[in-house]
Amino acid sequence: DIFDSDWYTSRSLIGGADIIVIKYSVNDKTSFQDIKESYVPMIKKALNHCSVPVIISAIGARKNGVPCTCPLCTSDRRSCVTTSEGVHLAKELGATYLELHTLNDFYIQKCFGDVLEYFMIQSLNQKSSEKMKKRKKTQKCHRVQPPQLEQPEKMPILKGEASHYDADLHNLLCCCQCADVAFCPEDLSTVVEAHKVILCSASHLFMLLFEVKSPADIHDASIVHMARSLFVVEAKAAHGVPPGVPPVRVVVKDAIFCSCLPDILRFIYSGAFQWEQLEEDIKKKLKDPEKTEHVLEKVKCILKTPGKLNTVKDCRSHQIKRLYNTSLRLFFNTPVLADVIFKIQGATVPAHRAVLVARCEVMAAMFNGNYLEANSILVPVYGVSKDTFLSFLEYLYTDSCCPASILQAMSLLICAEMYQVMRLQHICELYIITQLQSMPSRELASTSLSIVSLLKKAKFHNSDCLSTWLLHFIATNYLIFSQKPEFQDLSVEERNFVEMHRWPSHLYLKQLADYRNYVHSQKCHCAVM
């Protein structure tokens, strides 16, 4: 769950940990590769900003005995993780490597427990030494003490919004807006509408069916055979079909599979990771184990990666989770299957109405209402740069964004407010806040970035959380911002707020001046000198 969050949340959670424990089975090479490719880079990146001890635990006894270390012998390496691979991973992270052959009292208590206890004691010792240093500072001479500078007021906490990416695509299937393909049985009795770009993002078979890829590109005879034996495309339409053209009709040859098609499409549109739920739905509908297995095998083939064996495990949640975030990226800023073209700053940007309608309510109204854009392929865009609009579209397709700077994040925030995509607006707010918080005082004093200008834009574009935070930020860094010309651009109301919440306060500065006068009047000298 930590790594499903955005990078800044993950980094703060890792930094707040006492110890990071990475566990894998020595007999599960897939899980080890998943750790190595997905989680280790994130942890390495986080450890650049904090110091947290890491323990790598290899669990279990290798089933095929001691692996051969000869470079030519790779058979046993495919099925189990060697000690050298685990040690190499530990060196890469600067971690402690442990092999626990079985999860009994000896290995857990003596081996793992002792290492864990060692790091806990180190952590406690470090914290206690910091407390002692603070105590020694306070135990100084009992003459007139300097004024105590209180901590600045706590900044408002900005909470992120949960992703509703899968729900958006599922709702698109329910409302059937911008559908460009219609599935029906051979007797044409029923019709189930869908969207090519969503289907192709989930399956190489649908890419073949809708001519996004050719059989030579697939390199898998089973997928080609399944596409030809299961579906027939009656009227093939060219890519970029104008609005108002009827959907392409696809006849499903298998009547049993066709009866389960609504459940299968719901599974694909919901993110294609609820395999157990799909199994349950088809069992209830067919009430026949053989027919159920028949349909599920076809679904596995539809979701199959070319050249790989098809197993039930591949269809489990942890294998196909977050499918769209990577697969829909293939269709971002590409003319393949595109049915709308945005014209912006003299350039053209292709897109897909189905994705836009599902992810953005403003565009849903624009493409389905009584507007000029509803019946036009070429749509002009004003008031935003091409780079910003591309970043906006990238978020709609992938549910993620990574601004290059604070100014780019503010431009993207303005675009998100214009199209009423609130979650993207919150992500941009969080990015701006994180970047400003990590900026040292010296850099803040010398930067040409105008914080007051950011405040004005945040207020104008209804970003209440960011504008409130920026006011607190200016007040907290009063001594820096009060010396800048832009400080004079604050309104009377804003100036009053900053003066009321400024840090350090007027009272502290007066006490500090009195203390300095006292020191000079007593002709005090430094005890060390």
Side-chain angles (χ1 to χ4, degrees), residues 7 11 14-15 20 40-52 54 92-93:
W7 157 241
R11 187 179 74 179
I14 292 173
I20 298 172
V40 168
M42 290 284 286
I43 294 173
K44 280 179 70 176
K45 191 176 177 183
L47 291 178
N48 291 331
H49 303 274
C50 60
S51 179
V52 181
V54 181
E92 190 178 342
L93 282 174

Side-chain angles (χ1 to χ4, degrees), residues 6-7 57 99 119 158 198-199 238 303 320 343 362 402 424:
D6 59 273
W7 157 241
S57 300
E99 281 205 357
F119 283 123
L158 185 65
I198 307 298
L199 298 175
L303 298 176
I320 302 182
K343 188 173 182 180
V362 171
C402 188
L424 177 58

Side-chain angles (χ1 to χ4, degrees), residues 2 43 61 124 151 179 207 222 278 323 382 444 451 456 502:
I2 289 175
I43 294 173
L124 289 171
Q151 291 295 319
M207 285 187 184
S222 64
L278 177 64
L323 174 72
Y382 305 103
L444 196 60
I451 306 301
K456 300 290 184 186
R502 60 174 286 179

Side-chain angles (χ1 to χ4, degrees), residues 26-27 29 62-82 85:
V26 297
N27 293 305
K29 193 68 171 272
R62 293 176 181 83
K63 292 179 180 178
N64 49 0
V66 178
C68 177
T69 58
C70 172
L72 298 176
C73 297
T74 57
S75 59
D76 49 0
R77 295 185 191 176
R78 295 174 187 168
S79 57
C80 67
V81 184
T82 63
E85 287 177 312

Side-chain angles (χ1 to χ4, degrees), residues 207-280:
M207 285 187 184
L208 180 65
L209 193 67
F210 299 122
E211 299 181 345
V212 174
K213 286 187 176 182
S214 66
D217 298 325
I218 297 295
H219 299 298
D220 194 314
S222 64
I223 294 178
V224 176
H225 174 73
M226 179 62 71
R228 291 171 178 172
S229 62
L230 189 59
F231 300 107
V232 174
V233 181
E234 284 202 342
K236 296 185 180 179
H239 294 169
V241 178
V245 174
V248 174
R249 187 158 64 187
V250 177
V251 176
V252 184
K253 297 180 181 180
D254 190 320
I256 299 173
F257 182 87
C258 190
S259 66
C260 300
L261 194 58
D263 298 303
I264 296 167
L265 290 178
R266 189 159 53 247
F267 163 73
I268 292 174
Y269 275 70
S270 298
F273 62 88
Q274 298 175 347
W275 180 259
E276 295 85 353
Q277 183 63 47
L278 177 64
E279 285 182 321
E280 193 65 30

